[in-house]
Amino acid sequence: MFDVRVMRRDGVRLARDEAASQTEHSGEFVLDVANGARRLRLKSPWTSGYAPVELYEPVLISARHGVQLWRGYERVGERGVVQEWMVRAR
């Protein structure tokens, strides 16, 4: 089980305090392919639904002190923008 916070809004990195106040999404990682691109999502073990965050072409940037940083792209309307997730294992 993982807790995820998004670190960017519309591709722009959030200030540290603003990122810390973002809603945390919890679930298990699901890696699949959508529209020809790898997609990382979070599936809730309680409801079997997916969290409202997706990361396309995910890359693990760092893993230290129990925190992982993932970077990829998210859809915003009809365009893709850079997104980062801060991930902690429960």
Side-chain angles (χ1 to χ4, degrees):
M1 179 80 95
F2 297 97
D3 293 327
V4 171
R5 285 193 182 157
V6 297
M7 304 297 290
R8 293 176 180 259
R9 182 178 303 121
D10 294 326
V12 178
R13 184 179 280 266
L14 299 172
R16 195 176 289 259
D17 60 332
E18 191 175 2
S21 68
Q22 293 296 300
T23 301
E24 247 179 20
H25 303 281
S26 298
E28 296 293 330
F29 280 159
V30 174
L31 184 62
D32 60 9
V33 175
N35 301 318
R38 291 179 306 132
R39 175 177 62 175
L40 187 60
R41 301 189 291 169
L42 288 172
K43 185 173 186 178
S44 169
W46 303 287
T47 66
S48 296
Y50 290 93
V53 293
E54 299 178 325
L55 197 60
Y56 287 87
E57 297 300 333
V59 176
L60 179 61
I61 300 301
S62 73
R64 57 185 170 183
H65 307 295
V67 177
Q68 300 173 0
L69 181 61
W70 289 82
R71 185 177 297 146
Y73 301 94
E74 70 174 346
R75 282 186 167 189
V76 175
E78 292 297 316
R79 62 191 178 104
V81 296
V82 174
Q83 180 55 271
E84 292 176 325
W85 287 359
M86 183 178 67
V87 178
R88 293 182 194 269
R90 276 192 168 189

